[in-house]
Amino acid sequence: MKELKKKHERMTNFSKDLQKKTCPFDNTKFYSDSSVQPECIVTALECASKELQTVASECFSGDFNATVQCTTIGRFIQELLNEPKKATDETTAKTCKACETYPQKSHKDFLNDVETLVKKFNTH
């Protein structure tokens, strides 16, 4: 549990660092929704994990450190999702919205949503 808390703090620090950076394409938007119902948090985090790859390639392709930070956040999310007690059954997942139907947000708002979703996931 202590290791998970350390990883969460590291993810939060990476997210804060990335929010300070500017995405060269101001009109680039990413799918995210931190207001999902508790039963859809896993689905929303799966979406966020995929979108982090897009953030890395579209906003930070020339910035090695930022790309590594995005990848690390994505891995942290995957580790959370692989926890057996947090698994979501297929029936529940089918009632959740698809990633592409979430609101589109700037990279800063997207990263804020990721942090919120991880917090919700950990208290769920």
Side-chain angles (χ1 to χ4, degrees):
M1 190 59 117
K2 200 175 198 180
E3 183 179 327
L4 188 61
K5 187 175 180 175
K6 268 187 179 177
K7 286 182 180 181
H8 183 247
E9 288 173 7
R10 187 173 170 207
M11 185 217 73
T12 301
N13 290 337
F14 283 172
S15 180
K16 298 286 185 218
D17 287 347
L18 291 170
Q19 289 176 42
K20 293 175 189 172
K21 296 180 181 281
T22 304
C23 186
F25 309 105
D26 289 336
N27 61 347
T28 303
K29 303 291 182 191
F30 306 95
Y31 296 110
S32 174
D33 189 357
S34 64
S35 65
V36 296
Q37 297 299 313
E39 62 272 13
C40 294
I41 291 172
V42 168
T43 305
L45 280 170
E46 287 170 346
C47 174
S49 181
K50 292 174 189 170
E51 283 293 273
L52 277 162
Q53 296 171 10
T54 308
V55 171
S57 66
E58 292 188 15
C59 288
F60 307 121
S61 63
D63 185 335
F64 178 76
N65 288 335
T67 301
V68 168
Q69 289 174 324
C70 286
T71 303
T72 303
I73 294 170
R75 284 187 187 142
F76 175 74
I77 291 170
Q78 288 306 311
E79 285 180 32
L80 287 178
L81 296 176
N82 288 332
E83 288 184 22
K85 64 180 181 144
K86 300 287 188 170
T88 300
D89 63 41
E90 284 185 42
T91 307
T92 302
K94 286 180 184 176
T95 63
C96 301
K97 295 191 307 185
C99 185
E100 296 77 24
T101 64
Y102 292 155
Q104 291 184 314
K105 301 181 179 180
S106 69
H107 85 281
K108 293 177 184 188
D109 291 337
F110 166 78
L111 291 164
N112 276 328
D113 278 3
V114 170
E115 286 183 52
T116 300
L117 286 167
V118 168
K119 285 177 190 170
K120 286 182 176 182
F121 182 86
N122 285 328
T123 59
H124 175 64

